[in-house]
């Protein structure tokens, strides 16, 4: 993951810090204002540092390259021949992004992608690519191929439109095109806080969200959209099927770099090979807002990491005027109500002031981290200063206001450099904030084959963002809320009209926060920052929260553990995680527990009459062997060899049963993989039996009211449905509906499929 700068740059800056003169170290460490920290780092950043950035950026080139485009097209042709049209489309799309403007490679890639899209039955998109190929001087002697395909696409579109008018598509098919479902079923959202919640304030908690009225479980508390977000490159999202050495496609290949929606046929940036978009409108909006400045810095931004890039985007979007207003306590709306409660939280929705005043914890970050962030942004500042004229969002008519006198010390600095200085200090402020306030955007990703009879998915982080309203929620290890992220979501007309920065945008990323349980009036509304009581012991949770967020957690789960002195009391109260390790004693099959005695012992049997011990290294080795076999089995299934996968899984389950309890997470994963293998072979009964075991493990790990259990039971309903087990399917559906409504709302596409299943079973 590239949230922080690349390792080479981190090592370079760390070495620079160790060699720094002690007096300079002391001066840097003593600075209390971000503006002064930035100015100091700027004086310490040398041409050698910039040359080092340049040297390591060579490995992250984002330039157009006709040769690379040709190689991508060749890989696409290979996938096309094996009828893996999705992989072919992605290869051709990569070629389109690499191909220089108006080049023959660009026209050939567009033409080939149109063929792959035609076989995927995306006829309108195929037509669009045919037009693009012709506009980019497609070879005249091959034009007859495009003309024939053009005619076939029009014919299919005509037939498809008539069929749609006669009979709508069944809901059970929608999950294979989730974006289509979202556009069809989700009404425009109004961004903001529900009237049943209000903004509260206390010196200990700062501004936070509380229930003004009783909020029922499953009820929406707020909708928010990020002020800015950045895709995380390199995250595996799709694997090419069939080949022994499969091609991996990351989120940056499959998603719009502005609104994050999935797209097989992106519109490329005209200046670099990296950025791509779902439409020309997203491409235009991104260019105007930030990409015209990012594009020439592309490789440098890859080196400097996602946090640096996100901090820069926030600053570029805000513009000089908004930054100056946020800095000025007289004109800043947010500052005037920092220390009081407010039922009017309308300004939170897209307020830069809200983002500007997030805690940056300058005094809590270690000197080394402060130095890394400051030198990184100083280097970025120096690169940006050579990129061209000021951004359009920067109003140069207003005089510069800054808290420090550093701009006056450089009497010869030109006006543009004064604005850049303010930009640099603002970017540093946001980078420091993001270490504590960034929010991962999590999405469900299909992991099964496109023609799989049962859905298989996993949650993955696709982007990092800063959310103005969501940032109000404080942490709890046992939260009373549930978050769902969406892409391509429409905004209400009222919102689009009242927020100038989004008037040109029809859709984007949103987060919906729902109550996961009943929240009483006056009760604080809480969100988990990562360390959850069902998945992590109290001591480990508190350590992580202290290290990253600089507070000692005193939530219900942590407080009960401190008062009771054991994790067991938490579990009995219903708010704590399991005290058991899920490991079995190799001697008596009793449960193992962590040993609190001498170092190096690791685990001890909970049965006092046994007392068998296992070292941590032995446990880790056994778990590693099981996981390696599990990964091999999943790989065999992806290469359509389920019988071999099943043999390996049976052998692995025999081994795991000797050391793992049925509720151990790895046992759940093994059972889930075994269910997938049986399902791919059409053995629905055995598949359902193993999936029930997996659901039991997930219920134990995440809770009986968790979305994780809901997803697993949804798969179980699919298996029963496909196997013709009418009674079993109908018995599972109510629980699935309850959990999906609670966490994802009544309009999610899984519930549409569930309703279609139920109608079929009852009709």
């Amino acid at each position: 993951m590239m949230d922080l700068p690349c390792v080479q740059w981190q090592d370079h800056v760390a070495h620079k810090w160790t060699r720094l003169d002690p007096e300079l170290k002391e001066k840097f460490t003593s600075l209390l204002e971000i503006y002064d920290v930035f100015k100091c780092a700027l004086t310490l950043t040398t041409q050698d540092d910039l040359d080092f950035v340049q040297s390591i950026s060579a490995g992250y080139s984002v330039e157009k390259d006709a040769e690379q485009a040709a190689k991508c097209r060749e890989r696409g042709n290979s996938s096309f021949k094996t009828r893996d049209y999705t992989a072919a489309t992605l290869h051709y799309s990569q070629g389109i992004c690499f191909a220089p403007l108006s080049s023959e490679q660009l026209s050939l890639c567009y033409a080939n992608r149109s063929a792959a899209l035609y076989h995927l039955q995306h006829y309108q998109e195929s037509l669009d690519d045919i037009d693009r190929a012709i506009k980019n001087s497609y070879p005249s002697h091959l034009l007859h191929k495009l003309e024939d395909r053009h005619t076939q696409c029009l014919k299919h579109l005509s037939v498809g439109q008539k069929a749609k008018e006669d009979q709508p598509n069944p809901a059970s098919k929608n999950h294979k095109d989730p974006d289509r479902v979202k556009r069809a079923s989700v009404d425009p959202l109004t961004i903001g806080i529900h009237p049943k919640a209000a903004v509260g304030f206390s010196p200990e908690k700062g501004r936070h969200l509380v229930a003004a009225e009783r909020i029922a479980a499953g009820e929406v508390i707020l909708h928010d959209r990020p002020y800015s977000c950045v895709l995380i490159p390199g995250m595996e999202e799709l694997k090419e099927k069939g080949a022994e050495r499969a091609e991996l496609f990351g989120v940056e290949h499959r998603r719009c770099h502005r609104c994050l929606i999935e797209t097989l046929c992106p519109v490329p940036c005209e200046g670099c090979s990296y950025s791509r978009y779902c439409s020309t409108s997203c491409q235009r909006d991104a260019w105007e807002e930030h990409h015209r400045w990012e594009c020439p810095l592309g490789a440098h931004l890859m080196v400097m990491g996602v946090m640096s890039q996100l901090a820069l985007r926030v600053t570029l979007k805000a513009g000089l005027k908004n930054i100056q207003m946020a800095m000025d306590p007289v004109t800043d709306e947010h500052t005037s109500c920092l220390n009081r409660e407010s039922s009017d939280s309308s300004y939170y929705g897209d307020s830069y002031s809200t983002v500007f005043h997030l805690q940056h914890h300058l005094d809590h970050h270690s000197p080394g981290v402060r130095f890394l962030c400051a030198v990184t942004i100083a280097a970025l500042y120096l690169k940006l200063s050579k990129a061209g004229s000021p951004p359009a969002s920067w109003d140069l008519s207003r005089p510069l206001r800054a808290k420090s006198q550093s701009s006056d010390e450089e009497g010869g600095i030109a006006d543009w450099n004064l604005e850049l200085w303010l930009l640099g200090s603002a970017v540093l402020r946001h980078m420091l904030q993001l270490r504590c306030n960034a929010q991962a955007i999590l999405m469900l990703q299909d992991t099964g084959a496109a023609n799989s009879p049962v859905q298989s998915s996993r949650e993955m982080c696709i982007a990092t963002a800063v959310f103005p309203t969501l940032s109000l929620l404080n942490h709890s290890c046992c939260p009373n809320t549930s978050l769902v992220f969406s892409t391509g979501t429409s905004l209400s007309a009222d919102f689009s009209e009242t927020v100038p920065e989004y008037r040109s945008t029809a859709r984007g990323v949103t987060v919906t926060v729902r109550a996961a349980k009943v929240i009483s009036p006056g009760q604080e509304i809480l969100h988990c920052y990562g360390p959850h009581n069902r998945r992590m012991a109290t001591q480990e949770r508190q350590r992580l929260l202290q290290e990253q967020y600089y507070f000692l957690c005193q939530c219900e789960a942590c407080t009960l553990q401190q008062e009771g002195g054991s994790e067991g009391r938490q579990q009995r109260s219903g708010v704590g995680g399991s005290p058991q390790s899920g490991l079995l004693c190799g001697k008596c099959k009793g449960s193992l527990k962590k040993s609190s005695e001498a170092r190096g012992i690791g685990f001890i049997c909970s049965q006092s009459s046994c007392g068998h011990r296992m070292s941590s290294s032995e446990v880790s080795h056994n778990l590693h062997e099981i996981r390696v076999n599990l990964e091999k089995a999943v790989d065999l299934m992806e290469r359509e060899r389920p019988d071999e996968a099943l043999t390996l899984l049976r052998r692995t389950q025999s081994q795991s049963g000797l050391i793992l309890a049925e509720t151990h997470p790895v046992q759940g994963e093994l059972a889930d993989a075994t269910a997938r293998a049986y399902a791919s072979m059409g053995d629905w009964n055995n598949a359902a039996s193993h999936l029930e075991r997996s659901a039991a493990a997930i219920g134990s790990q995440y809770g009986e009211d968790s979305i994780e259990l809901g997803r697993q039971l949804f798969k179980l309903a699919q298996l029963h449905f496909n196997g013709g087990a009418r009674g079993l399917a109908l018995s599972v559906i109510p629980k699935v509906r309850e959990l999906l409504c609670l966490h994802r709302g009544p309009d999610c596409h899984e519930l549409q499929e569930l309703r279609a299943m139920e109608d079929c079973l009852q009709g």
Side-chain angles (χ1 to χ4, degrees):
M1 194 175 294
M2 298 181 67
D3 279 358
L4 288 172
C6 71
V7 174
Q8 299 102 305
W9 178 248
Q10 289 187 57
D11 290 344
H12 174 82
V13 177
H15 185 56
K16 183 182 180 74
W17 174 253
T18 58
R19 290 184 294 116
L20 203 63
D21 182 89
E23 287 187 10
L24 282 175
K25 273 189 178 181
E26 185 177 350
K27 177 187 174 183
F28 180 86
T29 305
S30 67
L31 296 174
L32 301 177
E33 293 286 349
I34 288 177
Y35 317 97
D36 297 321
V37 172
F38 174 69
K39 176 63 190 303
C40 182
L42 200 57
T43 63
L44 296 173
T45 303
T46 66
Q47 187 60 44
D48 286 344
D49 298 321
L50 299 183
D51 291 342
F52 186 79
V53 171
Q54 192 72 37
S55 67
I56 55 179
S57 295
Y60 299 86
S61 175
V62 294
E63 294 181 1
K64 298 289 186 181
D65 187 329
E67 186 177 336
Q68 284 295 327
K71 290 179 180 178
C72 291
R73 188 166 62 86
E74 289 169 7
R75 286 193 287 268
N77 291 342
S78 298
S79 297
F80 192 95
K81 290 174 183 176
T82 62
R83 300 186 179 182
D84 189 353
Y85 300 118
T86 298
T89 303
L90 289 168
H91 283 304
Y92 295 140
S93 292
Q94 189 70 348
I96 288 166
C97 291
F98 271 117
L101 289 177
S102 304
S103 64
E104 183 179 68
Q105 281 300 333
L106 184 60
S107 68
L108 292 172
C109 286
Y110 272 129
N112 288 14
R113 191 172 75 175
S114 76
L117 290 168
Y118 175 85
H119 284 281
L120 290 170
Q121 300 179 24
H122 296 318
Y123 301 117
Q124 184 57 57
E125 289 82 356
S126 179
L127 283 173
D128 294 340
D129 272 0
I130 290 171
D131 290 341
R132 292 179 182 121
I134 294 171
K135 287 177 182 177
N136 283 279
S137 305
Y138 188 69
S140 56
H141 67 282
L142 299 174
L143 274 175
H144 65 279
K145 293 183 178 181
L146 297 187
E147 291 166 354
D148 291 344
R149 193 176 304 132
H150 189 276
T151 302
Q152 292 299 316
C153 285
L154 290 176
K155 184 187 297 184
H156 282 292
L157 285 172
S158 176
V159 172
Q161 182 60 35
K162 187 176 186 308
K164 185 183 290 187
E165 292 169 359
D166 295 340
Q167 183 177 0
N169 289 333
S172 60
K173 299 288 177 69
N174 279 343
H175 73 270
K176 295 304 175 189
D177 189 359
D179 293 334
R180 185 184 305 161
V181 176
K182 288 169 188 169
R183 292 180 190 133
S185 64
V186 177
D187 292 328
L189 296 179
T190 301
I191 303 300
I193 302 169
H194 192 278
K196 289 187 177 181
V199 180
F201 173 82
S202 73
E204 300 80 21
K205 297 179 179 179
R207 296 181 67 76
H208 55 278
L209 215 56
V210 295
E213 304 175 27
R214 181 184 183 275
I215 302 175
E219 199 167 350
V220 173
I221 296 171
L222 66 85
H223 295 296
D224 197 15
R225 66 176 300 162
Y227 190 83
S228 289
C229 63
V230 174
L231 272 172
I232 300 175
M235 300 300 289
E236 175 190 334
E237 190 173 40
L238 185 79
K239 187 178 288 186
E240 187 177 3
K241 69 180 183 183
E244 285 291 324
R245 299 186 67 179
E247 181 79 20
L248 299 181
F249 297 100
V251 293
E252 70 270 28
H253 300 121
R254 286 189 56 109
R255 292 185 179 270
C256 174
H257 287 212
R258 176 170 170 77
C259 74
L260 309 188
I261 199 169
E262 280 192 88
T263 176
L264 277 175
C265 39
V267 177
C269 169
E270 295 182 356
C272 69
S273 62
Y274 179 70
S275 295
R276 60 206 70 189
Y277 306 94
C278 65
S279 62
T280 53
S281 63
C282 266
Q283 179 197 42
R284 181 185 63 249
D285 290 346
W287 182 259
E288 292 299 325
E289 184 182 285
H290 57 258
H291 193 60
R292 66 166 65 224
W293 304 104
E294 290 184 355
C295 195
L297 298 175
H300 304 319
L301 287 173
M302 300 287 281
V303 165
M304 293 175 181
V306 167
M307 289 299 185
S308 303
Q309 188 174 4
L310 180 54
L312 177 63
R313 280 193 185 179
V314 170
T315 309
L316 289 172
K317 177 179 175 179
L320 179 62
K321 183 177 179 180
N322 280 328
I323 293 174
Q324 289 176 320
M325 288 179 65
M327 291 171 61
D328 190 340
V330 177
T331 60
D332 182 38
E333 177 186 30
H334 188 98
T335 306
S336 66
C337 55
L338 270 176
N339 300 320
R340 60 180 173 83
E341 295 189 5
S342 172
S343 57
D344 177 17
S345 32
S346 58
Y347 66 89
Y348 274 94
D350 192 53
S351 167
Y352 173 70
S353 184
T354 305
V355 176
F356 183 87
H357 288 287
L358 291 172
Q359 290 292 319
H360 52 70
H361 295 293
L362 177 64
D363 56 336
H364 287 90
H365 294 299
S366 70
V369 167
R370 263 182 278 171
F371 192 71
L372 172 64
C373 293
V375 173
T376 298
I377 300 307
L380 182 61
Y381 161 96
L382 292 170
K383 291 287 185 181
L384 189 62
S385 66
K386 301 173 184 176
S389 56
S393 63
W394 287 61
D395 180 3
L396 307 183
S397 62
R398 186 171 173 177
L400 178 71
R401 299 175 61 98
K403 290 187 178 180
S404 86
Q405 299 177 355
S406 51
S407 61
D408 297 331
E409 296 168 6
E410 303 288 337
I413 296 180
D415 286 346
W416 173 215
N417 283 343
L418 292 178
E419 271 102 37
L420 259 184
W421 177 87
L422 182 57
L423 178 146
S425 58
V427 176
L428 176 57
R429 179 188 187 93
H430 294 313
M431 187 174 184
L432 292 170
Q433 288 172 333
L434 290 168
R435 286 183 59 82
C436 303
N437 293 285
Q439 171 67 52
I441 294 179
L442 304 171
M443 299 294 293
L444 276 183
Q445 174 60 37
D446 247 348
T447 56
N451 59 351
S452 173
V454 179
Q455 272 188 319
S456 184
S457 60
R458 63 187 172 95
E459 198 171 57
M460 66 178 298
C461 176
I462 65 166
T464 300
V466 56
F467 287 86
T469 309
L470 184 63
S471 64
L472 284 169
L473 271 63
N474 284 325
H475 167 80
S476 172
C477 299
C478 50
N480 52 17
T481 59
S482 177
L483 273 59
V484 174
F485 297 92
S486 304
T487 59
T489 309
S490 299
L491 300 176
S492 70
D494 290 343
F495 177 75
S496 297
E497 289 169 5
T498 57
V499 180
E501 284 142 303
Y502 285 127
R503 280 179 186 154
S504 63
T505 304
R507 65 187 186 196
V509 185
T510 57
V511 62
T512 299
V513 179
R514 287 185 171 83
K517 57 186 78 171
V518 173
I519 305 176
S520 303
Q523 188 177 352
E524 186 174 0
I525 297 167
L526 299 163
H527 156 49
C528 180
Y529 291 179
H532 198 289
N533 70 310
R534 285 196 173 273
R535 298 183 281 282
M536 199 177 293
T538 304
Q539 189 174 359
E540 180 69 3
R541 297 197 310 269
Q542 292 193 326
R543 182 186 65 80
L544 290 173
L545 290 166
Q546 184 72 54
E547 286 179 1
Q548 183 170 353
Y549 299 100
Y550 309 112
F551 70 86
L552 178 65
C553 186
Q554 296 293 328
C555 72
E556 184 181 6
C558 293
T559 303
L560 282 170
Q561 192 277 332
Q562 291 165 359
E563 292 175 354
S566 73
E567 299 282 347
R569 178 166 177 174
Q570 286 188 51
Q571 191 185 28
R572 290 192 295 273
S573 71
V575 299
S578 170
Q580 305 297 334
S581 64
L583 302 172
L584 298 180
C585 173
K587 186 176 179 182
C588 72
K589 295 298 178 286
S591 62
L592 290 180
K593 63 180 181 180
K594 280 191 176 181
S595 171
S596 57
E597 297 178 13
R599 281 182 170 272
I601 291 178
F603 296 88
I604 186 170
C605 182
S606 59
Q607 303 294 323
S608 57
S609 58
C610 176
H612 180 65
R613 300 175 186 274
M614 287 184 73
S615 67
S616 296
S617 59
E618 186 179 356
V619 169
S620 297
H621 175 74
N622 290 337
L623 285 173
H624 177 71
E625 281 193 338
I626 293 169
R627 285 200 173 278
V628 166
N629 286 338
L630 176 59
E631 290 171 7
K632 287 179 180 177
V634 170
D635 183 62
L636 286 168
M637 281 189 281
E638 288 174 349
R639 289 191 272 126
E640 299 180 358
R641 292 155 64 181
D643 50 343
E644 295 177 49
L646 198 54
T647 301
L648 179 57
L649 285 166
R650 285 171 178 157
R651 187 170 70 246
T652 306
Q653 282 181 322
S654 298
Q655 296 169 349
S656 67
L658 300 175
I659 60 169
L660 300 180
E662 283 293 311
T663 54
H664 192 282
V666 174
Q667 287 283 53
E669 292 178 45
L670 283 169
D672 181 83
T674 305
R676 284 172 56 190
Y678 276 120
S680 64
M681 298 167 70
D683 189 342
W684 308 113
N685 290 336
N686 267 320
S689 174
H690 282 83
L691 203 64
E692 284 172 351
R693 291 173 56 192
S694 176
I698 284 177
S700 175
Q701 182 185 4
Y702 293 101
E704 294 298 318
D705 59 352
S706 63
I707 183 60
E708 289 83 2
L709 179 60
R711 291 171 188 149
Q712 205 69 356
L713 292 177
F714 176 75
K715 289 160 61 176
L716 183 59
Q718 286 182 311
L719 286 174
H720 287 319
F721 177 82
N722 290 332
R726 179 178 177 276
L728 291 172
L730 289 172
S731 68
V732 173
I733 285 175
K735 179 66 174 177
V736 180
R737 183 186 295 112
E738 175 192 342
L739 293 176
L740 291 178
C741 278
L742 176 64
H743 295 282
R744 293 183 59 80
D747 295 319
C748 67
H749 68 268
E750 294 97 336
L751 280 176
Q752 294 182 30
E753 180 171 345
L754 209 63
R755 281 191 286 271
M757 269 193 239
E758 198 168 27
D759 290 345
C760 184
L761 291 167
Q762 292 176 338

